[in-house]
Amino acid sequence: MALVLQAQEELVKEGKMKDRYGMVFSSNPEYAPLQKLYKDQLKTLTYFFIFKPGCHACSGLASNLKEFPNVIPLQAAEGKLHSWQGLAPTKKASEDTLNDYARDGTVPVLVIVDPYKNRVSRLVGKQSKEKILETSVNLLKLRMKENRK
């Protein structure tokens, strides 16, 4: 993995690859302050993971969410609550939540909330860690841009 990170860093520095998240994920100390900033800022977001037990795509998304802070699993089906290893205890999704974010019954749904700006991003289906991170960073960038005004 270290070789991949080093290669990505070199490609970004040479301008051959876009640094899509505004930072390079590497162990290079020169990027440490920026990494810490984003990592600290990610803790200010809340991730609502709406799922149904037995859903294959839901299992994949749950696996990708283990490294993110403040993930709240919300079960969209009746019955015994399903727990995900590495995530907070599951809660039952309210009817209002389902009507707002999973009206057609499609799962999984990931709702990323920035409580400071009352802004929400909604991702449907199994998402990669990169896509979740990209969406999260975009929310944070919007917040920072508004704070500068």
Side-chain angles (χ1 to χ4, degrees), residues 9 25 32 51 63 73 101 104 108 148:
E9 184 177 313
F25 289 98
F51 72 94
S63 177
Y101 301 110
D104 61 0
R148 282 187 240 143

Side-chain angles (χ1 to χ4, degrees), residues 72-86:
I72 300 172
L74 299 174
Q75 185 166 311
E78 295 297 324
K80 183 181 175 191
L81 294 178
H82 178 81
S83 294
W84 299 98
Q85 186 176 356

Side-chain angles (χ1 to χ4, degrees), residues 48-119:
F48 293 97
F49 166 44
I50 302 171
F51 72 94
K52 291 181 183 174
C55 162
H56 182 69
C58 298
S59 297
L61 182 55
S63 177
N64 288 341
L65 288 170
K66 289 180 183 178
E67 296 176 38
F68 287 86
N70 304 326
V71 176
I72 300 172
L74 299 174
Q75 185 166 311
E78 295 297 324
K80 183 181 175 191
L81 294 178
H82 178 81
S83 294
W84 299 98
Q85 186 176 356
L87 297 180
T90 298
K91 299 177 180 179
K92 172 97 175 77
S94 70
E95 287 301 316
D96 287 341
T97 298
L98 294 175
N99 286 334
D100 289 344
Y101 301 110
R103 181 172 292 148
D104 61 0
T106 301
V107 290
V109 174
L110 181 62
V111 180
I112 306 171
V113 178
D114 178 355
Y116 294 97
K117 295 294 181 179
N118 292 323
R119 188 173 281 120

